[in-house]
Amino acid sequence: MSIEVLVLFYSRHGATAKMASLIARGVEEVEGVQAKIRTVPTISTVCEAIEDNIPDDGALYASLDDLKNCHGLVLGSPTRFGNMAAPLKYFLDSTSNLWLSGALIGKPAAVFTSTSSMHGGQETTLTSMMLPLLHHGMLLAGLPYSETSLLETTSGGTPYGASHLAGTDNTRKLDEHESKLCIALGKRVATLAKKLNS
Ligand SMILES: Cc1cc2nc3c(=O)[nH]c(=O)nc-3n(C[C@H](O)[C@H](O)[C@H](O)COP(=O)(O)O)c2cc1C
């Protein structure tokens, strides 16, 4: 059986999207596991956004079936006032039927985020994304301190999930520790998904 880990994210300026690519790389370091990268559409402040089903560039939009069919999930969002971004929350709020049927119960999951400032809410955003996943009965994984980058980083990287300090102009690149921790997180969820489905 082919094991699939869904890397689902929202990104407006690209920092969280870069993290998603590294996480997918980590997923695919585990033999027999494939990463599926998906995003969510931007939403309007005044009404439901009417968008094409296929984005102009980047990852395809996620469907509820992507969630239902995956064996593991890594969920990412830029920090917005210490919380996940509205487009991702909007998508998660459409998952009631999956919750009713228990479709995500027992699947491994992890979270990642990008911020402009060092203490601008990485941990709170990571935990904000964990809450709906716990309601769905998912099994949350963080990062263990055996990943030595957690001890050495002076920017992003937390035991609650991967994180990135993008800087006030959002141009700071993912550094070595942040990148290693993204890959480690993808690998960890992939390893769990494989074990739980073997
Ligand atoms: C409405 C809004 C709120 C934000 N709130 C925060 C915040 O609370 N803390 C922080 O450090 N950065 C905040 N940011 C900055 C973004 O989190 C940061 O630029 C992030 O790297 C963007 O990721 P992206 O390139 O994937 O869109 C905010 C940005 C916007 C537009």
Side-chain angles (χ1 to χ4, degrees):
M1 182 177 67
S2 161
I3 304 288
E4 185 178 279
V5 170
L6 179 64
V7 182
L8 174 61
F9 70 97
Y10 174 71
S11 179
R12 185 161 165 202
H13 299 295
T16 316
K18 285 192 191 106
M19 298 180 80
S21 304
L22 287 168
I23 286 163
R25 194 204 292 179
V27 166
E28 298 202 339
E29 280 184 12
V30 179
E31 202 190 325
V33 185
Q34 265 105 54
K36 184 190 248 186
I37 303 184
R38 289 291 181 270
T39 188
V40 293
T42 300
I43 54 171
S44 158
T45 50
V46 288
C47 62
E48 292 210 9
I50 309 293
E51 289 215 34
D52 290 341
N53 287 336
I54 299 183
D56 292 339
D57 50 34
L60 295 174
Y61 293 137
S63 68
L64 294 179
D65 274 347
D66 288 329
L67 270 181
K68 188 177 165 187
N69 297 331
C70 74
H71 300 94
L73 171 70
V74 195
L75 187 70
S77 169
T79 290
R80 292 279 167 92
F81 303 120
N83 211 317
M84 81 175 96
L88 191 67
K89 177 71 164 55
Y90 185 78
F91 178 77
L92 291 173
D93 284 357
S94 75
T95 60
S96 308
N97 282 342
L98 296 179
W99 174 77
L100 278 169
S101 64
L104 305 184
I105 291 175
K107 296 186 186 194
V111 291
F112 61 104
T113 191
S114 172
T115 60
S116 63
S117 58
M118 183 73 177
H119 301 288
Q122 294 185 353
E123 284 93 340
T124 54
T125 303
L126 293 171
T127 47
S128 79
M129 287 186 283
M130 288 180 188
L131 300 181
L133 304 186
L134 286 167
H135 278 254
H136 273 291
M138 300 193 89
L139 304 175
L140 284 166
L143 284 162
Y145 274 88
S146 49
E147 295 296 338
T148 52
S149 283
L150 276 185
L151 293 163
E152 290 160 20
T153 182
T154 53
S155 55
T158 85
Y160 312 103
S163 63
H164 167 50
L165 174 66
T168 43
D169 56 1
N170 216 42
T171 56
R172 187 180 169 278
K173 303 242 177 301
L174 279 138
D175 66 26
E176 190 193 343
H177 293 310
E178 293 174 330
S179 300
K180 272 189 187 167
L181 292 169
C182 284
I183 292 168
L185 192 67
K187 204 168 171 181
R188 192 157 201 229
V189 174
T191 304
L192 287 168
K194 190 172 169 179
K195 279 188 184 161
L196 288 166
N197 288 281
S198 60

